[in-house]
Amino acid sequence: MALYSEKVMDHFRNPRNVGVIEDADGVGEVGNPVCGDIMKIYLKIENDIITDVKFETFGCGSAIASSSMATELIKGKPLSEALALTNKAVTEALDGLPAHKLHCSVLAEEAIKSAVKDYYDKNGIEYDHSQFPEGESCPHCGE
Amino acid sequence: MHIYADNAATTKMSRTAIEAMLPYMDKIYGNPSSLYTIGQEAKEALESARERIAVCLGCTPREITFTSGGSEADNQALLSAAAIGARKGKKHIISTAFEHHAILHTLKKLEKQGFEVELLDVHKNGLVTPEQVANAIREDTCLVTIMYANNEIGTVQPIAEIGAVCREKGVLFHTDAVQAAGHLPIDVVAQNIDMLSLSAHKFHGPKGCGVLYARRGIALTNVIEGGAQERGKRAGTENVPAIMGMAAALEESCDNMDSDNFRLAALRDRLIEGLDQIPYSELNGDREHRLPTNVNFCFEGIEGESLLLLLDDKGISASSGSACTSGSLDPSHVLLAIGRPHEVAHGSLRLTIGPDCDQEQIDYIIRSVEEVVTYLRNMSPFWRDLVTGKRPHVFAK
């Protein structure tokens, strides 16, 4: 029994959508170096559709795989779907994560939300603030 | 290519050790406590193993207690010394911040029982000085326990000098020699060691088998109660095959120690020099006073678990002190003890080479690590921040 599922290893070894979008419409970054993981999501948005998405991740295998999977799940989708993406959906799409790695899928969800929020803020678009809970769910430092 | 570079975790058993074990599985399989012939033959073998191990450590056979490994030996050593101390009203214990968890967790337990534990600073280089120990010893100190060689960063403590300080002050001295036995010289008399723990699988012997050496006159407290094995100090039918394998492996390691160490230290140095070329990386632990097999680096901007997984894909088995590999939220307590900040400790890599290692393997490891570190940095927002000056570098180069 390997540590990770085949899916996780595939997304870790061949991550989809790695990179930077220089003229991104929304950028979200969560995590911090002290905890050992940072995820950064770049979104290109046209008519409320995510036309392109890239990520950069500093973290463990499941953090990289979660970012990769999350970007796959939202690419080409309307913002409403991206905002509805849960960590559970990311985990399921990866055929599961070890219990102590679920945190990585939470970061992926939060990074996407943070990027969408950035897009809304930059463009003065009104939104429901309750969609974007304050802070991140780092169990280590609570930051 | 497969390169096993995690010999501090465990080692491949030597042919000699395997051969030494086999007869005690299906031929001389009697219980050493039984009176009939194959029981007594097993008993004789057991006692001969005890004698041979005693020779390797420079002690007498009756000072050797067989255990299930290093952790049990560490537990028993500390609990015994604490019990002796408590009887005299002495409840102060000196240790270091970067001991193995078998020591640190036992010390925590003793703290709950009213002992005062003082953990000495191991400095940036991962070394304790005899002066630190001398200054820390008090009237009520009952034990000094300091590891011979560190399991993560490989630093080798001045054990003989610390032993001399303890002996002069009349304080019991235990050393966790799990990483040292079979790799560094041990002479418990010359080094003034009162108690010592070792584990067979770290020197090409079997797993689940170890030794607690306790100088004659030191009363041991049982960790496992039951039958009268090991002079009543460690119950349970002796693992005769494993003990035979351990004796053979220790003898072999001690016989080859000088030539192996000379060769391995040169390979280690080549590996250190190679990895040192990677920008913003630094060796962990003192350059000189370290095991001839240990290389441990921190790389800025990356995380250790992803590094290990990609190295595994290249056939290299290694280890890391990152939080993600420990299953806990904090990176290695050893790296934190030598003052590495969390963000750098997460990006650590330990390579511990074994006797099969050669120059070709070292060069392959260097190339692979360079490649993987560069790849991971290229997708790391943390690295981008370091390169663009948004966050400060920890290392000078």
Side-chain angles (χ1 to χ4, degrees):
Chain A
M1 172 61 197
L3 174 63
Y4 291 127
S5 71
E6 281 297 320
K7 264 281 185 44
V8 172
M9 286 310 291
D10 176 37
H11 276 262
F12 167 64
R13 289 191 180 112
N14 312 294
R16 283 64 146 174
N17 309 309
V18 177
V20 177
I21 300 175
E22 294 294 350
D23 59 342
D25 297 310
V27 180
E29 183 178 306
V30 295
N32 69 68
V34 173
C35 296
D37 34 31
I38 303 175
M39 278 184 203
K40 197 166 183 179
I41 300 272
Y42 302 82
L43 298 176
K44 197 77 196 145
I45 298 162
E46 278 169 44
N47 302 322
D48 266 11
I49 303 284
I50 296 171
T51 54
D52 197 11
V53 51
K54 297 272 186 219
F55 81 89
E56 290 181 299
T57 290
F58 155 71
C60 60
S62 62
I64 291 171
S66 296
S67 326
S68 167
M69 180 55 86
T71 58
E72 284 268 277
L73 292 172
I74 62 163
K75 199 171 184 175
K77 300 282 168 59
L79 284 180
S80 58
E81 270 189 50
L83 285 173
L85 182 75
T86 62
N87 80 297
K88 198 160 168 277
V90 175
T91 307
E92 277 167 10
L94 288 168
D95 290 341
L97 284 171
H100 66 286
K101 298 287 189 176
L102 288 174
H103 164 63
C104 297
S105 63
V106 176
L107 277 182
E109 177 193 323
E110 288 176 348
I112 288 169
K113 289 208 163 86
S114 160
V116 174
K117 182 172 181 289
D118 179 55
Y119 165 72
Y120 285 159
D121 287 341
K122 274 182 187 157
N123 292 280
I125 299 168
E126 289 292 317
Y127 55 90
D128 174 7
H129 286 260
S130 68
Q131 279 180 298
F132 304 101
E134 279 298 307
E136 295 149 20
S137 57
C138 174
H140 179 89
C141 54
E143 276 178 24
Chain B
M1 181 162 349
H2 175 242
I3 301 173
Y4 183 74
D6 202 15
N7 284 275
T10 194
T11 59
K12 179 169 94 175
M13 277 189 69
S14 76
R15 232 332 98 189
T16 315
I18 295 170
E19 302 286 343
M21 291 174 74
L22 293 176
Y24 299 92
M25 295 186 183
D26 62 350
K27 292 187 179 68
I28 309 165
Y29 53 83
N31 187 322
S33 301
S34 301
L35 60 80
Y36 40 73
T37 308
I38 61 165
Q40 288 306 300
E41 283 173 354
K43 174 82 176 164
E44 273 171 37
L46 184 71
E47 294 314 318
S48 78
R50 199 187 303 279
E51 282 168 26
R52 289 155 61 201
I53 290 169
V55 169
C56 293
L57 304 182
C59 65
T60 60
R62 58 168 295 132
E63 294 172 314
I64 298 283
T65 302
F66 293 122
T67 69
S68 65
S71 292
E72 187 190 330
D74 281 345
N75 273 254
Q76 190 165 17
L78 269 50
L79 297 176
S80 301
I84 295 166
R87 284 198 288 273
K88 297 176 185 164
K90 295 183 172 187
K91 300 186 94 172
H92 177 242
I93 300 173
I94 298 166
S95 188
T96 75
F98 75 165
E99 296 295 310
H100 191 271
H101 285 124
I103 297 289
L104 291 177
H105 291 176
T106 307
L107 291 176
K108 276 264 170 270
K109 187 155 115 180
L110 289 170
E111 261 181 334
K112 284 189 188 132
Q113 294 171 16
F115 286 83
E116 187 189 334
V117 175
E118 186 174 343
L119 299 180
L120 300 178
D121 181 15
V122 294
H123 306 105
K124 280 189 167 169
N125 59 2
L127 293 172
V128 181
T129 64
E131 293 72 33
Q132 273 177 286
V133 177
N135 292 337
I137 290 176
R138 314 189 309 213
E139 278 295 308
D140 62 341
T141 304
C142 63
L143 171 71
V144 171
T145 174
I146 293 176
M147 70 200 317
Y148 197 144
N150 184 271
N151 52 315
E152 289 188 33
I153 58 172
T155 50
V156 178
Q157 306 305 324
I159 286 303
E161 290 79 359
I162 293 171
V165 166
C166 294
R167 187 61 54 87
E168 191 197 316
K169 306 243 185 187
V171 176
L172 283 182
F173 173 47
H174 167 258
T175 186
D176 173 343
V178 167
Q179 295 293 334
H183 301 280
L184 297 173
I186 293 176
D187 181 335
V188 292
V189 175
Q191 294 169 309
N192 286 308
I193 298 168
D194 295 311
M195 288 191 278
L196 175 147
S197 313
L198 63 80
S199 178
H201 76 108
K202 306 293 190 185
F203 50 80
H204 311 283
K207 292 165 182 64
C209 184
V211 160
L212 171 60
Y213 150 79
R215 187 168 50 79
R216 191 169 187 168
I218 297 174
L220 293 182
T221 299
N222 283 54
V223 173
I224 298 176
E225 301 287 355
Q229 294 89 354
E230 300 299 291
R231 305 173 318 286
K233 295 304 172 191
R234 201 284 184 180
T237 300
E238 302 86 344
N239 188 348
V240 180
I243 290 166
M244 299 312 287
M246 170 163 66
L250 187 59
E251 275 182 337
E252 189 178 40
S253 297
C254 291
D255 286 347
N256 299 334
M257 192 183 291
D258 291 344
S259 58
D260 275 355
N261 283 357
F262 183 75
R263 196 173 60 81
L264 291 169
L267 291 169
R268 172 201 65 190
D269 292 342
R270 187 181 179 91
L271 184 52
I272 291 175
E273 279 151 29
L275 296 181
D276 203 37
Q277 300 303 311
I278 298 175
Y280 297 101
S281 65
E282 214 167 83
L283 180 72
N284 293 313
D286 194 78
R287 183 78 173 74
E288 301 301 321
H289 301 97
R290 72 186 301 132
L291 286 166
T293 48
N294 178 292
V295 175
N296 191 319
F297 265 83
C298 277
F299 302 102
E300 283 189 23
I302 61 156
E303 193 281 329
E305 192 215 64
S306 41
L307 175 59
L308 294 190
L309 290 170
L310 292 174
L311 288 177
D312 187 32
D313 281 350
K314 292 179 180 293
I316 299 168
S317 311
S319 117
S320 168
S322 86
C324 275
T325 57
S326 68
S328 82
L329 296 169
D330 277 315
S332 142
H333 70 289
V334 173
L335 296 175
L336 297 180
I338 60 166
R340 292 300 192 206
H342 277 67
E343 62 264 39
V344 166
H346 286 301
S348 77
L349 174 68
R350 180 186 72 179
L351 297 155
T352 43
I353 58 176
D356 299 340
C357 188
D358 58 26
Q359 199 164 306
E360 192 193 343
Q361 289 193 359
I362 294 292
D363 293 345
Y364 178 77
I365 295 174
I366 295 169
R367 277 200 309 277
S368 304
V369 173
E370 261 178 346
E371 224 176 281
V372 172
V373 168
T374 306
Y375 169 77
L376 288 172
R377 280 177 172 175
N378 282 339
M379 72 159 84
S380 163
F382 179 26
W383 178 248
R384 177 179 296 278
D385 286 352
L386 292 167
V387 173
T388 55
K390 247 178 94 183
R391 290 181 205 265
H393 280 289
V394 172
F395 300 140
K397 57 159 196 71

